[in-house]
Amino acid sequence: ERTETLGDYLPDNCLVALWDPLNLKQELDAYLARENQERPEEEEAWVNCLEVMSRFQTLRCHAVPFTDQTSAGARVFYFAVTGNRELAASLAAAAAEPGRITAPLAARMQEWRASGFQVVLVCRSRSQAERLSLLLADRRVQCELSPTPRWQRPGTIQLTWDGLSAGFQWLTEALIILTEEEVLGAAKETPKRRSSRPLQFFTSLNDLKVGDPIVHLDHGIGLYRGLVKLSVGHEINDFLYLEYLGGDKLYLPVDRLHLVQKYMGVDDAVPPLEKLGGKSWERTKKKVRRAVEKIARELVELYAARKVLPGHQYSPPDPALREFEATFEFEETPDQLNAIQDVWEDMFSDRPMDRLICGDVGYGKTEVALRAAFKAAMDGRQVAFLVPTTVLAEQHFETFRKRFQPYPLVIKVLSRFKSPGEQKAILADLAAGKVDIVIGTHRLLQKDVHFRELGLLIVDEEQRFGVSHKEKLKQFRQTVDVLTLSATPIPRTLQMAMTGIREMSIINTPPAERTAIRTYLCRPDDTIIREAIQRELRRGGQVFFVHNRVRNLPAYATHIQRLVPEARLGMAHGQMQERNLEDVMWKFWRQEIDVLVCTAIIEAGLDIPAANTIIINRAHALGLAQIYQLRGRVGRGREQAYAYLLVPEEEHLNPEAQKRLKALMEFTELGSGFKIALHDLQIRGAGNMLGAAQSGHIAEVGYEMYLQLLEEEINRLKGEPKDLTPDPELHLPVAAYLPEAYIPDIDQRLIMYRRLSGRLTKEEIDALTEELLDCYGPLTPEAANLLEVVQAKSILRQIGIKRLDMSNGLITITFAMTHHLDQERLVAAALKQPRRYRLTPDNQLRIHLQEDWAPMERLKKVLKEIEFFVISERNAQSPDRSPAP
């Protein structure tokens, strides 16, 4: 006759045991919330069984199992512990007041210490622990920093770092364990650690294919024919096989891979090959060098003008800034930290900042901008954040409002979503200095916008602004700091950054657990569209359908609704009424719409984590960077994302559209935005950013070589000293390479060879060694030899040695420059030990060593002996300048 609960069936003297009650309550709360939300209104609500059981005698069991090392079995102990949920809530409530994020925590910690509690605060990383330690020290709370906490120390506060889901309070033992999330009030994500691989070369060899043209600094343009193994003496090593005009062959040792670059011209045409040993390549380089001299002179004048312009020098980092950084809910990637450090160096200097932050979609560029905006605003300067669309302005406003909530800063958004009256009030407050940060579209560039004291201009996706807007931005650059964010910068911006006129920071490290977007090129077929949408809906996701023509967008919306009638559909384009557009976008963001049929208005910056499928109709009609940006609207979480590019038959596409689509399909891996920008530059033609066309010169030597010659000319005109130290050659009877069994993938081997070649410091070599050990395991003998050779080259370069040959027990050393040598000591050693040392008239030193030593042992011995003959401050001041022992 009536609905009954489990408690109705139990006797009054029943004993109820709750196993792990904290976890049980959390699971039960989540279950009841889900069930009661989905039940029909006519059905009765589910009741909480814990409340039903509360009238019975209750035994609460808190278990902490661990293995006793002294016995075979595991033992379970029971502790009366409580969770930190209420503590976290009270700290969050207290921290909501402006400027009081760490103040309530510091006050609570002082109380615990006075009561004799031991407090351990667990952070997600060492850097965050150090940051919190400084913040607490500012509040006069002294903490111990240690990777391993020491227990049973009443009245102490310790900071450590590791992964911990939640803390607890064990009151009977006076122990309190806290997590960073609980004390800062943010639901943080602890990503898996990934090793960072810095982007050292703009046109890396990781996408080099057999048959591609390649540029050698000394021999010119040839064809890459693969990575081959050759016998040198009794040993085998890896060589890069290059083919030149007339079938001439060049085998380049992998330790000299820095001498080659992948050829990149202004189109896909194969450039004419050079004759190996000919003089035409040197003539070509001289001609291009003369051509870049004029542009280099103009660039240097621009660079010098910026150097002397007065800029605002911001105050050093303070507790408020460290506090703001600590509230970031993810762990910064290494590249992100480098970009942030670059921005700080610019802002703390006395000249205007003009920096480009180049990072793929979703890689954390906005966080860099947030920190710069915070510093500028807290120093009393106004900040303008310029974005290309009204929808993106609203989304950035929400992000800023959330992050800046505890601070006394006024943030406004200026776009066509605001009524004329609202816009007028915002403009008046802006001119009066009552607005600290304003986020807006092109509206910010109009004549009626006046700032009281603008200090920082942030431009998101500069490529979306027209010529007239860029002219306005140029005026800003004369007086204020400018920070530009872009995933795919336009060719002109890229050129200026790569030639040093605008500083550039690259964020190339993907966020944790991010997966590459699977991209399909297909004809516009109803079956494909239906299957793609239904598959996304089955896993609870959302879909973008992009058709970049407003005129027939409603027809496509009707067609898709007919294909997938179960989907909740919305439509968005730039010609809609502001309120209607805002309403549709917010419904999509709140997952009240399954499929959004829209134009490219969603291109910039939108962050909808549940949207993981995008279908782009007539993709061939869009620009390369535009398609890349659209594709970046999905795959911003952990789910696998899909992009479908709908295009007509290939014969209906013009050659440029075919190149764009081919490039997009090639660059599908994470972090391809920079390569897309370079490829866009290649398709559209590089050109001279100051007027005169330079594409012919770029075609002759390749884009990277052109930039290198331009950079050399700029450095010469700026009076910077040229590095004349030689690049040493080593000829050793040892196998020094990365075996296929150690690094099976040829592209990864090429990348590592390229990174190990060139002018490396000891610290860089040590870092690469650590990376090899971490990624591929213990070094093979051949790999260990290669690293020894790289280390030796670094030492020989500092001494001024251009070549070292080893044959049996004889080492022959050729000097490029002898001013580093203590020649008096060297001659004395040769006279004293003529069988061991011999000097030749052509600047060679021959050293005889014991033949029973292994080659690498001989090399180490020789390096120590040579260092004895190098002039140093210690040698120069030593009264005893006796010959070598």
Side-chain angles (χ1 to χ4, degrees):
E1 292 80 14
R2 63 186 179 87
T3 305
E4 295 173 325
T5 67
L6 179 62
D8 295 327
Y9 292 90
L10 300 177
D12 291 338
N13 61 350
C14 180
L15 176 66
V16 176
L18 299 180
W19 188 264
D20 195 2
L22 296 173
N23 190 43
L24 182 62
K25 185 177 185 305
Q26 290 173 4
E27 292 289 338
L28 189 60
D29 288 345
Y31 177 79
L32 291 176
R34 188 168 61 249
E35 289 295 329
N36 285 327
Q37 184 180 7
E38 295 176 359
R39 69 180 177 81
E41 287 190 16
E42 61 273 11
E43 287 188 10
E44 292 184 84
W46 287 76
V47 297
N48 190 319
C49 69
L50 289 182
E51 295 175 4
V52 173
M53 299 299 179
S54 62
R55 66 184 178 88
F56 298 101
Q57 293 184 79
T58 307
L59 175 66
R60 291 175 173 82
C61 306
H62 306 267
V64 181
F66 69 93
T67 303
D68 185 352
Q69 300 297 329
T70 60
S71 61
R75 296 187 294 175
V76 179
F77 289 76
Y78 301 95
F79 302 122
V81 298
T82 57
N84 287 334
R85 180 177 290 184
E86 291 181 8
L87 170 65
S90 65
L91 287 173
E97 300 174 31
R100 280 179 54 83
I101 289 181
T102 52
L105 172 64
R108 193 67 67 94
M109 283 188 162
Q110 295 284 30
E111 292 174 12
W112 288 327
R113 172 181 279 163
S115 301
F117 281 90
Q118 177 179 0
V119 182
V120 179
L121 175 52
V122 184
C123 300
R124 68 178 184 270
S125 64
R126 177 171 188 150
S127 60
Q128 185 72 340
E130 291 170 349
R131 189 182 290 153
L132 272 176
S133 174
L134 290 171
L135 288 171
L136 290 169
D138 292 331
R139 302 282 181 184
R140 299 185 179 179
V141 177
Q142 296 303 316
C143 307
E144 299 175 16
L145 209 62
S146 170
T148 308
R150 290 177 289 176
W151 305 107
Q152 296 180 341
R153 302 185 64 225
T156 62
I157 299 172
Q158 299 178 67
L159 266 67
T160 187
W161 49 94
D162 209 334
L164 189 65
S165 59
F168 59 88
Q169 301 172 47
W170 185 7
L171 302 180
T172 55
E173 293 296 320
L175 174 66
I176 297 175
I177 307 288
L178 300 166
T179 64
E180 178 189 333
E181 292 83 350
E182 290 163 343
V183 300
L184 291 178
K188 297 188 186 301
E189 197 173 281
T190 307
K192 294 179 182 176
R193 294 189 176 274
R194 287 191 176 193
S195 60
S196 168
R197 191 173 65 204
L199 184 69
Q200 290 186 327
F201 307 98
F202 294 124
T203 53
S204 169
L205 299 181
N206 62 334
D207 52 355
L208 187 66
K209 301 180 182 64
V210 173
D212 282 351
I214 196 166
V215 184
H216 190 291
L217 265 65
D218 299 325
H219 303 297
I221 300 171
L223 295 177
Y224 169 63
R225 293 301 185 193
L227 196 62
V228 298
K229 282 188 169 54
L230 295 178
S231 298
V232 180
H234 300 292
E235 302 294 344
I236 297 174
N237 279 305
D238 273 343
F239 290 81
L240 212 66
Y241 171 25
L242 308 180
E243 184 181 322
Y244 284 84
L245 189 65
D248 290 351
K249 299 176 182 178
L250 175 68
Y251 295 97
L252 184 72
V254 289
D255 65 330
R256 300 182 68 76
L257 219 59
H258 61 285
L259 296 177
V260 294
Q261 310 158 350
K262 184 180 177 182
Y263 175 84
M264 186 173 163
V266 293
D267 53 35
D268 287 337
V270 177
L273 303 184
E274 295 289 336
K275 178 72 177 173
L276 203 58
K279 296 183 179 179
S280 64
W281 177 244
E282 283 302 320
R283 286 198 299 269
T284 300
K285 284 202 295 184
K286 284 181 182 177
K287 183 174 74 172
V288 175
R289 202 183 293 275
R290 284 196 300 271
V292 302
E293 184 176 358
K294 182 182 177 184
I295 179 175
R297 195 174 299 279
E298 293 183 48
L299 289 174
V300 168
E301 288 172 3
L302 277 176
Y303 187 87
R306 279 194 60 239
K307 285 284 188 183
V308 298
L309 283 172
H312 179 75
Q313 189 170 7
Y314 290 90
S315 62
D318 55 11
L321 178 61
R322 288 196 292 266
E323 203 171 62
F324 181 77
E325 290 179 324
T327 60
F328 182 45
E329 56 184 308
F330 303 101
E331 183 162 359
E332 300 93 338
T333 63
D335 287 351
Q336 208 177 8
L337 288 172
N338 291 336
I340 291 166
Q341 186 59 38
D342 291 342
V343 170
W344 289 153
E345 289 175 8
D346 290 343
M347 294 183 75
F348 299 148
S349 73
D350 57 358
R351 63 185 180 86
M353 173 172 69
D354 189 8
R355 179 168 293 278
L356 169 67
I357 305 292
C358 186
D360 224 337
V361 286
Y363 273 36
K365 301 186 295 295
T366 305
E367 177 61 22
V368 181
L370 277 163
R371 297 189 186 186
F374 178 85
K375 184 61 189 168
M378 292 296 281
D379 267 26
R381 310 274 287 185
Q382 289 176 298
V383 179
F385 197 146
L386 184 63
V387 299
T389 66
T390 50
V391 174
L392 183 57
E394 292 292 330
Q395 185 168 345
H396 274 317
F397 174 68
E398 285 299 313
T399 303
F400 271 72
R401 189 179 59 79
K402 180 182 174 184
R403 286 292 303 279
F404 287 78
Q405 186 178 7
Y407 300 95
L409 298 174
V410 178
I411 305 168
K412 297 289 184 181
V413 62
L414 186 64
S415 70
R416 62 189 179 92
F417 279 172
K418 300 294 180 185
S419 66
E422 289 174 318
Q423 291 188 33
K424 188 176 179 180
I426 292 171
L427 291 175
D429 289 345
L430 205 56
K434 295 178 182 178
V435 174
D436 299 296
I437 300 171
V438 61
I439 302 165
T441 56
H442 314 73
R443 180 74 180 83
L444 282 176
L445 301 177
Q446 293 179 5
K447 292 181 180 178
D448 62 341
V449 179
H450 302 285
F451 297 88
R452 184 180 179 184
E453 193 173 17
L454 180 62
L456 174 65
L457 172 66
I458 303 168
V459 185
D460 197 7
E461 302 301 343
E462 186 186 34
Q463 72 273 13
R464 299 289 305 280
F465 296 96
V467 175
S468 61
H469 302 130
K470 291 194 174 73
E471 289 302 316
K472 182 77 172 177
L473 293 176
K474 280 183 185 176
Q475 298 171 18
F476 279 118
R477 284 198 174 90
Q478 300 296 318
T479 53
V480 302
D481 290 338
V482 178
L483 188 63
T484 305
L485 316 177
S486 183
T488 51
I490 57 174
R492 180 170 297 183
T493 300
L494 194 60
Q495 277 185 301
M496 293 187 75
M498 292 171 74
T499 49
I501 303 309
R502 294 180 67 181
E503 286 83 6
M504 177 167 63
S505 301
I506 298 175
I507 302 179
N508 200 48
T509 314
E513 301 184 16
R514 176 72 59 88
T515 56
I517 302 166
R518 290 186 186 172
T519 306
Y520 302 99
L521 202 62
C522 44
R523 292 193 298 275
D525 183 275
D526 284 353
T527 306
I528 292 173
I529 296 171
R530 185 190 301 111
E531 284 295 323
I533 294 174
Q534 287 179 339
R535 179 172 61 180
E536 187 59 55
L537 296 186
R538 280 196 297 270
R539 62 176 183 172
Q542 294 169 280
V543 180
F544 289 110
F545 183 94
V546 180
H547 176 75
N548 205 29
R549 288 188 179 179
V550 176
R551 185 179 57 193
N552 48 3
L553 194 66
Y556 274 95
T558 304
H559 182 63
I560 290 169
Q561 188 71 80
R562 192 163 51 246
L563 287 177
V564 194
E566 67 272 22
R568 296 170 298 173
L569 192 131
M571 189 169 64
H573 57 79
Q575 295 178 19
M576 293 172 65
Q577 290 290 329
E578 287 86 351
R579 296 300 176 195
N580 293 342
L581 178 59
E582 185 180 15
D583 184 54
V584 169
M585 296 309 299
W586 279 114
K587 281 183 177 178
F588 190 65
W589 187 73
R590 292 194 297 263
Q591 292 185 267
E592 295 172 14
I593 291 174
D594 298 319
V595 181
L596 185 67
V597 181
C598 56
T599 59
I601 192 172
I602 61 145
E603 174 186 342
L606 278 179
D607 190 2
I608 313 287
N612 285 302
T613 293
I614 187 168
I615 303 168
I616 305 174
N617 193 35
R618 295 178 54 79
H620 61 288
L622 300 172
L624 180 58
Q626 193 174 25
I627 304 173
Y628 189 76
Q629 288 282 11
L630 285 169
R631 187 175 66 176
R633 295 313 103 213
V634 297
R636 299 170 77 87
R638 299 179 181 180
E639 295 290 334
Q640 176 63 59
Y642 300 89
Y644 297 84
L645 310 183
L646 307 183
V647 295
E649 295 286 355
E650 191 172 343
E651 58 266 21
H652 299 305
L653 302 177
N654 63 47
E656 196 166 305
Q658 290 181 24
K659 288 178 187 177
R660 288 198 300 268
L661 294 170
K662 178 174 178 285
L664 202 74
M665 298 306 292
E666 280 182 6
F667 301 128
T668 56
E669 73 270 20
L670 292 170
S672 296
F674 196 85
K675 292 179 185 176
I676 288 281
L678 284 169
H679 207 89
D680 197 22
L681 184 147
Q682 182 178 3
I683 292 170
R684 291 160 62 177
N688 180 348
M689 72 202 80
L690 298 179
Q694 295 285 321
S695 56
H697 300 305
I698 292 170
E700 286 184 287
V701 296
Y703 189 70
E704 191 172 351
M705 175 63 76
Y706 174 82
L707 283 179
Q708 185 172 322
L709 294 174
L710 180 57
E711 187 179 1
E712 287 175 5
E713 190 63 23
I714 287 172
N715 290 338
R716 185 184 70 81
L717 291 170
K718 283 161 67 174
E720 295 183 2
K722 189 175 181 180
D723 187 1
L724 298 175
T725 54
D727 190 42
E729 289 183 45
L730 270 76
H731 298 271
L732 309 173
V734 294
Y737 64 97
L738 300 171
E740 291 178 31
Y742 188 58
I743 305 181
D745 185 84
I746 187 170
D747 288 340
Q748 295 301 320
R749 285 209 310 282
L750 271 176
I751 292 169
M752 188 53 71
Y753 278 140
R754 179 76 185 258
R755 295 176 65 198
L756 284 168
S757 67
R759 298 173 178 242
L760 300 177
T761 63
K762 184 180 184 305
E763 292 73 22
E764 290 170 332
I765 297 168
D766 290 343
L768 286 169
T769 305
E770 287 296 320
E771 187 174 326
L772 281 170
L773 291 168
D774 182 48
C775 294
Y776 305 105
L779 297 171
T780 62
E782 299 89 350
N785 288 342
L786 178 63
L787 289 166
E788 292 276 6
V789 169
V790 171
Q791 196 83 262
K793 286 180 68 174
S794 176
I795 297 170
L796 296 176
R797 185 182 304 110
Q798 296 169 24
I799 298 172
I801 292 172
K802 68 177 181 181
R803 179 167 177 145
L804 185 148
D805 293 88
M806 182 184 295
S807 176
N808 298 323
L810 179 64
I811 304 275
T812 303
I813 295 168
T814 306
F815 295 97
M817 46 186 77
T818 56
H819 61 273
H820 292 296
L821 289 174
D822 187 333
Q823 297 187 39
E824 182 184 335
R825 178 175 288 194
L826 186 59
V827 170
L831 291 173
K832 188 174 182 181
Q833 302 182 62
R835 291 188 177 182
R836 184 173 183 79
Y837 301 105
R838 184 185 170 193
L839 285 167
T840 65
D842 54 350
N843 281 337
Q844 283 191 348
L845 171 65
R846 296 178 182 177
I847 304 176
H848 291 268
L849 297 174
Q850 291 177 256
E851 291 191 27
D852 55 345
W853 286 351
M856 298 315 293
E857 290 298 318
R858 289 184 217 159
L859 180 63
K860 290 177 185 176
K861 175 71 174 173
V862 164
L863 290 176
K864 281 188 177 180
E865 290 194 25
I866 295 172
E867 285 181 332
F868 183 77
F869 298 119
V870 175
I871 297 174
S872 65
E873 288 186 20
R874 181 176 54 80
N875 289 344
Q877 295 171 2
S878 173
D880 178 20
R881 298 173 56 80
S882 58

